Amino acid sequence: MKFLVTFLLLSLPIPLLAEDPGNILSGSSPLDWKDEDISIRMMDSAHRFVEKKITESVKTRWQTWRQDSTNDSEFAKSILKNRQHFKSIIGVVEDRLPPRLEFFSDQTTPSNGTPTTSLVAKLEKFEIHQVRWDVIDGIVAEGLYVIPKVSLKLGADQSPGLVLIPDADNTPEDILGMTRKLPAGQQIGLRFASAGFRILIPVTISRERYSGPDGNDGRIKRSDQTHREWIYRQAFQMGRHVIGYEVQTALAAADWLRSSGLSSSVSVAGYGEGGLIAFYSAACDPQITAAFVSGYFGPRGQVWNEPIYRNVFGLLRKFGDAEIASLIWPREMVIEHTDFPKVSNQKGDIVTPPTKAVNAEMKRIETLLKDLSVPPRNHFIEAEGSSRGSYPAVAAFATAIDFQDADQSRVPSGIVLSDQRESFDPKVRHKRVFRQMEGHVQALVKHSNQVREKRFFQTAEPKLGPGQWSTNKKHLTLDPADFIEKSKVFREEFRKELIGEFDDELLPLNPQSRKILETDKWTAWEVVLDVYPGFFAWGDLLLPKGMKPGEKRPVVVCQHGRHGLPRDVIDAHKSAYSDFAAHLADRGFITFAPHNLYRHEDRYRWLDRKANSIGCSLFSFIIPSHEQIVKWLNTLPNVDGSRIGFYGLSYGGESAVRIPSLVDGYALSICSGDFNQWTRKVADVDFPNGFMGTNEWEMPYWNLGNTFDYAEMAALIFPRPFMVERGHHDRVSIDPWVAHEYAKVRWIYAQFGLADKTEIEFFQGGHAIHEKGTYDFLHKHLNWPKP
């Protein structure tokens, strides 16, 4: 009986006292952190690190421009690449269609059903028409066209053209005073129209909450997205952006005004979200005469805390507002500082910066361009209260573009613009514009598989000549050396442009440890490693007992999923994980359970947002952490560094295709409960279990849909062994999607005669570690005998 009790006690994981100086791993210092959740400490350290990098970006970004300030002409040439880069990161990549504008009406005459006139309203000074114009393939903009009634002595070509973009909370009708939504001081459209400008006003995508195509999709409602976020999420994955679509809309309007011959010049203006679009449009197109930016310009160091639909990947690496303004030089720009739109709880807020901060950003423009002979032509106007398009600001703009005949008289109080359309519904028009943007993105999603295959998998296409068949009629296999070499280019692209990397050098490991558990088969140690200044990696190491001096064993790195902790895969007895790190240690493997940062909602999402602003992501922290982990594992006396495998479930499965793609020290990888057609999972609006209808707003990665899905990531792991573990009832995806994507992986391995190095196991179950085929795979490819 005494023997039985002793045996049972030895079989249980027993917490040990870390204070005992003998309870540390050889080669490490004591880990003496007490009474705290290390996952919180790790998250805090990551936030501090990235915030420091954002602050530093202000000092370093201009150095990346490689501008030539020898003279003004050389400077203009030298910044062309920066303008092109700016266009690419906001998704302005398609060629616009030839200029075409159409007057139209969606109203009909009740008697015969024929369309009525395009005329919407008119006053003594101007009239307003309903129009639409071509933008890019699949997108036609809609809005209003303000035509000034120019006196004969001026001639029609003397009216300056203006593309005026409303804020996302307003319609073209609102800013023209055709509705009662805005007070007179905020009717920016009416101010410019009364001054004599010829104006095109596009519809902008609204900030109203989106509830699905029928307005009653509970799942989408719970994800709490605006219309702008809905477009942003899917477009971001495809290298497009709601910002980019609206810039293209504005530029297409400018193209038409310019081509029409009816305007002496073409400028852009806007307030709030419209101010952003006007500002960006002028930066993109040197043919724009001038920009009027109201309720937007300012310091951008907190861009990560603005609404999510303003998230531009890598913006702060090269661009704050001052740098963007330098792309407008030497043209005119008027900054009207007024109250910004009141926006909150849209996964970020809009806050009006103090005047001092706006002036400081304008001062930075002067500093950046101080060596040029032509100084920046920027004008700062501080509006009274919440005015938009104030009289001083519009007058300054008219002077800046030399509009000498601008009507400077004030709009009479109480003026009413009556809409002649009897049954016009702006929501119906907005829906048409919204659906076209969504349709454009979904077409990209649909064809993304062919785009990726064309650029990636053709590298592995066998080039067989006549008679190059084996006797059993199968194609010959290829030498993988060339594919492996070419994959290095893709791997660097994946690391630097898709995942993103910090430019800091990795620190010395400085391992700290303490013993935390012990059974009759293994001992567990908690370990902390330095990664970057102030940021560390953390996890639990399980060392089997009975290892002989000099004996080398394989390691399995066992990765938890979302919300997880290292102990979840060791002794938490959670059904999804089945304590698989402990079970593998029971089989004689050394195992290590690292902590990855996808815990503490929504803090890891905000970490990703912050990192996005400087061209990085959540995995920009995770990848170097694993590089340090592998490096440290190689220092342990019983570890065979050539036999370190990776096995992760759920978010850990997501890690299993990203981390080993870039960390060569992993000898194999097993993706459990996550393998997918990732582009469709993230961006397909029709997939019921996709991320478009969840709160997982960190899932889109910039332009990943056109470059790397799971097959391409697995190809970066090639020729190392790769396996997928898939439960038939796992709602992460559906079997046909998983099978289709995996077929491409197996195809790659088969072309090089290595089909035996990849497997997929389907099992009757759900989102869980199955512990059958994967264990066989580990024993086989890590060369460790089964028990």
Side-chain angles (χ1 to χ4, degrees):
M1 182 68 179
K2 181 178 178 181
F3 172 79
L4 179 59
V5 171
T6 302
F7 174 79
L8 290 173
L9 288 172
L10 287 173
S11 300
L12 293 172
I14 303 171
L16 296 178
L17 298 176
E19 290 79 3
D20 184 343
N23 288 334
I24 64 170
L25 283 168
S26 176
S28 67
S29 59
L31 178 60
D32 57 2
W33 300 348
K34 297 181 177 68
D35 300 326
E36 65 176 303
D37 184 339
I38 295 181
S39 70
I40 294 177
R41 183 169 181 158
M42 186 174 175
M43 182 64 73
D44 289 343
S45 74
H47 276 274
R48 284 193 298 269
F49 177 81
V50 75
E51 287 167 9
K52 183 172 181 288
K53 301 299 290 184
I54 290 170
T55 300
E56 291 172 352
S57 72
V58 178
K59 299 177 182 177
T60 60
R61 65 175 71 119
W62 190 243
Q63 299 167 13
T64 69
W65 277 52
R66 298 181 180 176
Q67 76 283 0
D68 184 350
S69 299
T70 304
N71 56 57
D72 295 357
S73 176
E74 290 303 314
F75 176 82
K77 291 178 188 176
S78 70
I79 65 172
L80 289 176
K81 287 184 178 179
N82 297 294
R83 176 175 286 113
Q84 191 57 43
H85 177 71
F86 178 68
K87 291 167 70 175
S88 71
I89 65 174
I90 63 171
V92 178
V93 293
E94 276 92 1
D95 292 332
R96 290 188 299 282
L97 295 172
R100 186 189 74 87
L101 179 139
E102 175 188 358
F103 292 80
F104 83 106
S105 172
D106 53 5
Q107 308 290 298
T108 58
T109 303
S111 59
N112 56 20
T114 59
T116 61
T117 175
S118 65
L119 183 65
V120 172
K122 62 181 178 180
L123 284 176
E124 181 183 350
K125 293 182 179 180
F126 57 85
E127 59 184 35
I128 304 169
H129 289 262
Q130 183 170 322
V131 294
R132 54 193 171 205
W133 60 94
D134 291 343
V135 182
I136 58 177
D137 281 333
I139 293 184
V140 177
E142 293 193 35
L144 297 179
Y145 180 22
V146 179
I147 305 174
K149 295 181 180 178
V150 184
S151 62
L152 293 175
K153 68 176 183 177
L154 290 176
D157 64 341
Q158 296 301 302
S159 298
L162 183 68
V163 182
L164 177 58
I165 305 105
D167 180 52
D169 284 334
N170 302 138
T171 67
E173 289 78 11
D174 292 336
I175 67 173
L176 284 167
M178 296 173 63
T179 69
R180 295 291 181 266
K181 183 172 183 178
L182 296 175
Q186 296 181 4
Q187 294 169 5
I188 186 173
L190 186 57
R191 295 280 176 84
F192 277 108
S194 298
F197 286 84
R198 182 181 299 275
I199 313 172
L200 276 174
I201 309 176
V203 172
T204 51
I205 300 302
S206 83
R207 293 193 191 96
E208 288 184 0
R209 260 39 183 196
Y210 180 58
S211 302
D214 60 359
N216 195 34
D217 190 319
R219 183 167 169 269
I220 294 174
K221 280 183 180 179
R222 287 191 295 274
S223 71
D224 192 30
Q225 297 182 61
T226 63
H227 285 80
R228 293 187 75 78
E229 183 184 347
W230 181 260
I231 297 297
Y232 157 82
R233 278 202 197 185
Q234 55 191 283
F236 197 84
Q237 183 77 8
M238 303 310 302
R240 304 300 191 276
H241 207 294
V242 63
I243 289 173
Y245 283 125
E246 292 186 337
V247 167
Q248 291 277 46
T249 295
L251 295 181
D255 291 342
W256 183 83
L257 285 169
R258 197 178 296 117
S259 68
S260 70
L262 298 173
S263 297
S264 56
S265 62
V266 178
S267 300
V268 289
Y271 167 77
E273 225 61 42
L276 180 157
I277 301 302
F279 185 43
Y280 283 16
S281 296
C284 287
D285 186 356
Q287 296 184 83
I288 297 291
T289 303
F292 181 97
V293 181
S294 177
Y296 176 73
F297 186 89
R300 211 50 61 188
Q302 294 281 313
V303 66
W304 56 267
N305 201 32
E306 297 177 35
I308 192 170
Y309 44 78
R310 289 186 175 185
N311 182 39
V312 174
F313 189 71
L315 179 72
L316 297 185
R317 276 205 164 167
K318 281 184 174 289
F319 304 100
D321 280 10
E323 287 79 13
I324 295 170
S326 73
L327 295 175
I328 299 174
W329 175 91
R331 294 166 288 152
E332 304 278 352
M333 180 171 66
V334 171
I335 303 296
E336 181 184 51
H337 185 50
T338 185
D339 289 345
F340 284 20
K342 291 180 176 148
V343 177
S344 60
N345 299 318
Q346 296 194 358
K347 300 176 181 75
D349 308 324
I350 296 178
V351 178
T352 304
T355 302
K356 183 178 179 180
V358 176
N359 280 324
E361 190 68 12
M362 291 196 71
K363 184 68 177 176
R364 282 210 316 117
I365 305 173
E366 297 176 10
T367 302
L368 297 178
L369 304 179
K370 66 182 186 323
D371 295 330
L372 302 177
S373 62
V374 178
R377 294 166 172 163
N378 302 322
H379 312 273
F380 177 81
I381 305 293
E382 186 162 16
E384 293 183 6
S386 58
S387 179
R388 308 169 186 177
S390 61
Y391 288 105
V394 173
F397 188 68
T399 301
I401 64 171
D402 198 26
F403 183 22
Q404 298 177 8
D405 296 298
D407 189 339
Q408 302 290 357
S409 61
R410 291 180 176 266
V411 179
S413 61
I415 188 171
V416 176
L417 270 173
S418 178
D419 194 331
Q420 298 185 14
R421 298 166 295 183
E422 294 182 357
S423 57
F424 173 71
D425 185 350
K427 290 188 175 181
V428 173
R429 178 184 60 189
H430 178 271
K431 185 175 182 178
R432 289 196 297 264
V433 175
F434 176 77
R435 288 285 172 233
Q436 285 187 40
M437 283 191 192
E438 181 185 73
H440 189 270
V441 179
Q442 290 306 300
L444 295 173
V445 172
K446 180 179 179 181
H447 294 103
S448 62
N449 186 53
Q450 293 94 311
V451 171
R452 293 189 304 272
E453 284 190 355
K454 184 177 180 180
R455 73 177 219 112
F456 195 104
F457 280 93
Q458 286 183 3
T459 307
E461 187 72 50
K463 306 298 188 292
L464 300 174
Q468 284 187 297
W469 300 87
S470 62
T471 55
N472 60 0
K473 303 297 183 184
K474 292 182 180 178
H475 284 181
L476 298 175
T477 56
L478 305 173
D479 185 338
D482 184 57
F483 180 79
I484 294 170
E485 185 63 30
K486 289 179 179 177
S487 292
K488 292 179 180 178
V489 176
F490 291 117
R491 186 173 288 110
E492 281 305 291
E493 177 191 18
F494 187 53
R495 178 190 297 275
K496 293 180 178 179
E497 298 180 25
L498 283 306
I499 297 296
E501 66 176 354
F502 299 113
D503 53 12
D504 296 64
E505 295 290 332
L506 292 172
L507 294 175
L509 295 170
N510 186 28
Q512 302 174 68
S513 69
R514 61 186 171 200
K515 192 185 294 186
I516 55 171
L517 293 171
E518 187 169 7
T519 71
D520 60 328
K521 291 187 176 180
W522 46 261
T523 304
W525 308 79
E526 189 168 45
V527 180
V528 168
L529 306 169
D530 287 347
V531 180
Y532 291 133
F535 176 64
F536 61 91
W538 163 56
D540 295 342
L541 177 73
L542 276 61
L543 290 177
K545 292 183 174 179
M547 290 188 290
K548 300 174 183 177
E551 179 187 0
K552 299 290 186 179
R553 291 200 186 185
V555 181
V556 182
V557 173
C558 303
Q559 189 61 65
H560 65 74
R562 177 182 168 198
H563 304 309
L565 289 166
R567 293 285 287 270
D568 288 349
V569 302
I570 299 172
D571 65 340
H573 309 309
K574 295 185 176 181
S575 60
Y577 295 114
S578 298
D579 296 344
F580 75 109
H583 291 174
L584 287 168
D586 290 345
R587 289 170 169 253
F589 291 99
I590 297 171
T591 63
F592 185 76
H595 181 68
N596 281 356
L597 284 162
Y598 27 78
R599 178 176 168 83
H600 303 298
E601 307 214 349
D602 281 332
R603 291 199 68 201
Y604 68 85
R605 297 193 172 103
W606 286 107
L607 180 64
D608 186 69
R609 274 288 303 279
K610 291 176 182 178
N612 272 194
S613 70
I614 53 172
C616 292
S617 66
L618 189 64
F619 278 93
S620 302
F621 294 91
I622 295 172
I623 299 291
S625 296
H626 281 259
E627 289 175 333
Q628 293 290 78
I629 288 166
V630 169
K631 188 185 300 183
W632 172 72
L633 287 171
N634 273 274
T635 69
L636 301 182
N638 291 110
V639 167
D640 182 345
S642 67
R643 292 187 289 163
I644 303 175
F646 189 100
Y647 185 2
L649 171 69
S650 194
Y651 223 136
E654 182 178 334
S655 302
V657 292
R658 287 161 176 78
I659 297 171
S661 296
L662 299 176
V663 181
D664 290 335
Y666 284 120
L668 63 75
S669 183
I670 300 174
C671 174
S672 178
D674 190 75
F675 194 84
N676 222 318
Q677 290 185 4
W678 191 250
T679 302
R680 294 181 69 184
K681 172 75 173 177
V682 172
D684 190 329
V685 299
D686 295 322
F687 181 49
N689 294 331
F691 291 126
M692 282 301 297
T694 74
N695 68 340
E696 293 163 278
W697 43 266
E698 86 287 0
M699 286 301 179
Y701 272 56
W702 177 252
N703 203 30
L704 195 64
N706 289 313
T707 51
F708 296 91
D709 210 304
Y710 275 18
E712 289 78 20
M713 295 180 207
L716 297 181
I717 296 172
F718 174 89
R720 293 166 287 163
F722 176 75
M723 183 176 180
V724 173
E725 184 176 47
R726 161 72 190 169
H728 287 305
H729 300 290
D730 189 339
R731 291 173 60 81
V732 159
S733 189
I734 54 177
D735 284 356
W737 283 20
V738 175
H740 178 270
E741 191 70 12
Y742 176 74
K744 292 190 288 182
V745 177
R746 193 183 187 285
W747 184 87
I748 281 284
Y749 280 78
Q751 303 317 300
F752 302 105
L754 298 174
D756 64 330
K757 284 193 171 185
T758 184
E759 295 180 24
I760 187 168
E761 180 191 28
F762 289 95
F763 65 92
Q764 187 66 7
H767 194 65
I769 297 287
H770 189 46
E771 296 192 290
K772 299 222 183 302
T774 54
Y775 283 12
D776 292 341
F777 191 80
L778 289 168
H779 282 288
K780 174 182 177 181
H781 293 288
L782 293 182
N783 191 25
W784 184 248
K786 294 182 182 180

